[in-house]
């Protein structure tokens, strides 16, 4: 039963399906009427209501999870003629409880959505902790562009992994005996590498908010039992914050690397099995998906800041979900302006590029539009994650040519006004998409994506407002 059938053919097909059920047969239909081109579950058509009219038989909801990205999906705009995203490409088939024959398309679709949420538990067995996913990506694509900033142009995944191992070896004595370690660094290559160094060592990196008061910062440090805060001397001079406890400067930790250290880091990064690599860097127990990955603090506007504890599974599953929605590929590149102390910055611009093997270019200050525009242009970046407030600044400080390579502009953290979205689209030729989430959910809960239009097709991926 296809939505492309003529009305008379459609009625005949529905009648045939109804007669088959009455004869005791099982009839399986895809209630969407067409294969999704946007990676989302489409609205259910009303055809099965016609089939079930005057037929007292149960409706069994069935959900297929993992099909998107296989050769049997329209990911990348092609059917069959492409390599699957993963080999093997695992698919989960979930069956729900029988529904009455009077169930509406909305009720059946809601049951299917719940089954698809349950199916994520089956993905867990094949996921890896964040640092292990980063190591796997770096070893699979060593020469691919990984990250850059104003001081570190064009760092490959091979170089990123080697530098991470080097920093972890240098930090073993500094962080000895500590479970949670404080990081006070802006979005940058060193900031990203230190986070993964901590994860490889079995530490929990806590990226501290450098825009809050000294009292709020001290509360965050106290709640996590942090004794050592790693920062940059140059950065600390700029933010002018008084940091309680022992302060360690990254410039001193990474200073004067010896040839022997570099060689040891290189050999460890490439020759040691990942479990042995972690143990050589000080990890005491085997990494697990339910281990704590980070603590993200609220701003403290209603009292003491509250620390949200996110596991590797929380963040990793959110990364897989965002990958499905936006069909990321190796040519994509992220604009890394969101701070790592924000959940969207930690997941979206720190962990997601490293896990999925796409590039990211960092800039420490998201308000410097005149610096960010040329970075997007220079590296031909395709993804901008920002807030509506930042978009207003970019409209004033960036030219349309600067943002010519962007294919997705996504906003979160505050409501996107319709007038701002329209003005941004008029100036840059790309409409911002809006996402909703919360820190406790790692953070993305729901996001808009692009619509699909083609001859015979109109699939809606975004709802304004």
């Amino acid at each position: 039963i296809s939505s492309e059938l003529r009305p008379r053919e459609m009625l005949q097909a529905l009648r045939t399906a109804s007669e088959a059920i009455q004869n005791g047969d099982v009839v399986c239909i895809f209630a969407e009427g067409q294969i999704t081109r946007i990676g989302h579950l489409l609205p259910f058509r009303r055809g099965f209501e016609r089939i079930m009219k005057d037929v007292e038989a149960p409706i069994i909801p069935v959900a297929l999870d993992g099909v998107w990205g296989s050769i049997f999906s329209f990911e990348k705009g092609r059917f069959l003629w492409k390599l699957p995203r993963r080999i093997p490409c695992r698919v989960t088939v979930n069956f729900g409880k029988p529904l009455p024959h009077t169930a509406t398309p909305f009720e059946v679709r809601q049951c299917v959505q719940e089954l698809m949420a349950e199916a994520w538990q089956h993905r867990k067995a094949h996921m890896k902790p964040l640092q292990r996913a980063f190591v796997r990506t770096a070893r699979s694509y060593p020469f691919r562009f990984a990250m850059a900033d104003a001081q570190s142009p064009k760092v490959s995944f091979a170089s990123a992994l080697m530098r991470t191992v080097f920093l972890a070896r240098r930090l073993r004595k500094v962080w000895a005996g500590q479970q949670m370690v404080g990081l006070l660094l802006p979005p940058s290559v060193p900031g990203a590498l230190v986070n993964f160094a901590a994860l490889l060592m079995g530490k929990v990196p806590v990226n501290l908010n450098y825009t809050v008061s000294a009292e709020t910062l001290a509360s965050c440090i106290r709640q996590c039992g942090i004794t050592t805060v790693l920062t940059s001397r140059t950065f600390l001079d700029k933010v002018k914050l008084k940091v309680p406890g022992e302060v360690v400067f990254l410039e001193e930790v990474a200073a004067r690397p010896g040839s022997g250290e570099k060689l040891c880091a290189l050999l460890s990064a490439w020759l040691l099995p990942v479990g042995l690599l972690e143990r050589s860097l000080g990890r005491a127990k085997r990494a697990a998906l339910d281990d704590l990955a980070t603590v993200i603090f609220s701003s403290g506007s209603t009292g003491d800041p509250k620390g949200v504890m996110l596991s590797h599974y929380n963040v990793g599953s959110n990364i897989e979900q965002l990958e499905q929605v936006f069909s990321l590929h190796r040519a994509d590149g992220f604009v890394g302006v969101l701070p790592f102390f924000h959940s969207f910055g930690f997941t979206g611009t720190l962990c997601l590029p490293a896990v999925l093997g796409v590039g990211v270019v960092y800039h420490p200050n998201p308000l410097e539009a005149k610096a960010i525009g040329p970075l997007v242009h220079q590296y031909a970046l395709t993804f901008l994650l920002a807030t509506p407030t930042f978009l207003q600044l970019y409209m004033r400080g960036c030219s349309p040519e600067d943002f010519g390579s962007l294919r997705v502009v996504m906003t979160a953290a505050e409501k996107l006004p319709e007038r701002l979205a329209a003005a941004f689209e008029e100036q840059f030729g790309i409409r911002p998409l809006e996402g909703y989430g919360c820190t406790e959910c790692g953070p993305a809960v729901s996001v808009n994506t692009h619509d699909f239009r083609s001859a015979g097709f109109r699939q809606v991926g975004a709802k304004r407002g």
Side-chain angles (χ1 to χ4, degrees), residues 5-156:
L5 292 176
R6 296 174 181 177
R8 183 174 297 179
E9 295 171 332
M10 176 71 77
L11 289 173
Q12 181 58 43
L14 296 173
R15 195 176 300 117
T16 302
S18 183
E19 292 171 355
I21 296 173
Q22 290 174 334
N23 293 333
D25 294 331
V26 174
V27 173
C28 178
I29 66 167
F30 287 86
E32 298 165 280
Q34 54 188 225
I35 296 176
T36 179
R37 266 76 170 167
I38 59 175
H40 283 282
L41 190 66
L42 301 176
F44 280 12
R45 309 266 176 164
R46 307 187 68 88
F48 75 80
E49 284 187 311
R50 179 82 180 225
I51 295 173
M52 300 305 294
K53 187 179 181 182
D54 302 324
V55 177
E56 293 198 11
I59 298 172
I60 310 296
V62 184
L64 303 178
D65 179 63
V67 177
W68 186 256
S70 73
I71 61 172
F72 300 108
S73 68
F74 266 96
E75 191 200 30
K76 301 179 182 177
R78 297 190 299 274
F79 185 63
L80 291 178
W81 304 112
K82 62 179 179 295
L83 286 174
R85 185 182 295 174
R86 293 183 182 87
I87 300 175
C89 190
R90 298 177 177 90
V91 174
T92 303
V93 184
N94 273 23
F95 296 87
K97 295 179 180 179
L99 299 173
H101 70 281
T102 55
T104 65
F106 176 82
E107 292 169 336
V108 177
R109 187 177 186 273
Q110 185 167 344
C111 287
V112 171
Q113 284 186 303
E114 290 171 359
L115 289 173
M116 294 180 75
E118 292 174 12
W120 275 90
Q121 291 298 322
H122 297 280
R123 295 197 185 200
K124 189 173 183 179
H126 308 290
M127 293 172 62
K128 294 182 180 296
L130 297 171
Q131 76 278 0
R132 291 194 169 199
F134 167 57
V135 172
R136 178 184 60 185
T137 298
R139 289 176 172 177
S140 300
Y141 313 108
F143 305 113
R144 186 179 292 184
F145 169 66
M147 56 187 72
D149 60 21
Q151 279 71 42
S152 308
K154 294 279 185 178
V155 177
S156 67

Side-chain angles (χ1 to χ4, degrees), residues 91-401:
V91 174
T92 303
V93 184
N94 273 23
F95 296 87
K97 295 179 180 179
L99 299 173
H101 70 281
T102 55
T104 65
F106 176 82
E107 292 169 336
V108 177
R109 187 177 186 273
Q110 185 167 344
C111 287
V112 171
Q113 284 186 303
E114 290 171 359
L115 289 173
M116 294 180 75
E118 292 174 12
W120 275 90
Q121 291 298 322
H122 297 280
R123 295 197 185 200
K124 189 173 183 179
H126 308 290
M127 293 172 62
K128 294 182 180 296
L130 297 171
Q131 76 278 0
R132 291 194 169 199
F134 167 57
V135 172
R136 178 184 60 185
T137 298
R139 289 176 172 177
S140 300
Y141 313 108
F143 305 113
R144 186 179 292 184
F145 169 66
M147 56 187 72
D149 60 21
Q151 279 71 42
S152 308
K154 294 279 185 178
V155 177
S156 67
F157 274 99
S159 178
L161 179 57
M162 189 186 76
R163 294 187 195 189
T164 299
V165 173
F166 167 76
L167 287 171
R169 290 172 61 85
R170 283 283 183 96
L171 288 164
R172 278 198 67 172
K173 289 183 179 179
V174 176
W175 286 342
Q178 301 178 43
Q179 182 186 4
M180 295 190 185
V181 293
L183 305 179
L184 196 70
L185 293 165
S188 59
V189 170
L193 299 183
V194 165
N195 270 274
F196 282 104
L199 291 171
L200 277 171
M201 297 167 68
K203 311 297 182 184
V204 178
V206 181
N207 290 277
L208 300 167
N209 190 340
Y210 41 80
T211 66
V212 297
S213 65
E215 293 77 15
T216 301
L217 182 64
S219 174
C220 297
I221 292 173
R222 185 175 60 254
Q223 289 182 56
C224 288
I226 293 170
T227 57
T228 302
V229 175
L230 182 67
T231 186
S232 159
R233 194 181 297 275
T234 306
F235 180 66
L236 199 58
D237 290 340
K238 285 184 179 180
V239 294
K240 294 180 172 56
L241 257 180
K242 184 180 179 182
V243 182
E246 183 184 355
V247 176
V248 178
F249 295 108
L250 185 58
E251 294 93 337
E252 296 172 5
V253 170
R256 298 181 297 278
S259 301
E261 282 184 298
K262 290 182 180 178
L263 180 61
C264 192
L266 175 65
L267 295 177
S268 299
W270 292 102
L271 299 181
L272 289 181
V274 65
L276 193 57
L277 174 62
E278 289 174 331
R279 285 196 295 273
S280 73
L281 298 176
R283 175 177 280 275
K285 65 184 184 80
R286 180 179 173 83
L289 277 171
D290 289 325
D291 288 346
L292 186 61
T294 190
V295 176
I296 304 288
F297 277 94
S298 65
S299 61
S301 55
T302 57
D304 276 350
K306 300 168 183 66
V308 176
M309 303 168 72
L310 297 176
S311 71
H312 290 264
Y313 183 52
N314 293 147
V315 178
S317 57
N318 213 202
I319 289 171
E320 280 205 20
Q321 292 152 2
L322 290 167
E323 177 190 26
Q324 173 164 334
V325 170
F326 293 115
S327 298
L328 298 167
H329 48 78
R330 61 173 297 175
D332 282 319
F334 280 74
V335 186
V337 295
L338 297 179
F340 297 155
F341 62 73
H342 191 282
S343 56
F344 211 0
F346 186 86
T347 297
T349 57
L350 172 63
C351 297
L352 185 148
V355 169
L356 299 183
V358 296
V360 57
V361 178
Y362 294 114
H363 188 73
N365 189 347
L367 306 179
E368 293 178 352
K370 293 192 179 299
I372 291 167
L375 276 180
V376 176
H377 179 216
Q378 177 185 349
Y379 289 93
L381 302 176
T382 58
F383 268 71
L384 172 62
L385 305 179
T387 68
T389 300
F390 296 165
L391 295 191
Q392 290 179 325
L393 295 173
Y394 302 156
M395 287 178 62
R396 291 196 290 268
C398 302
S399 69
E401 294 78 15

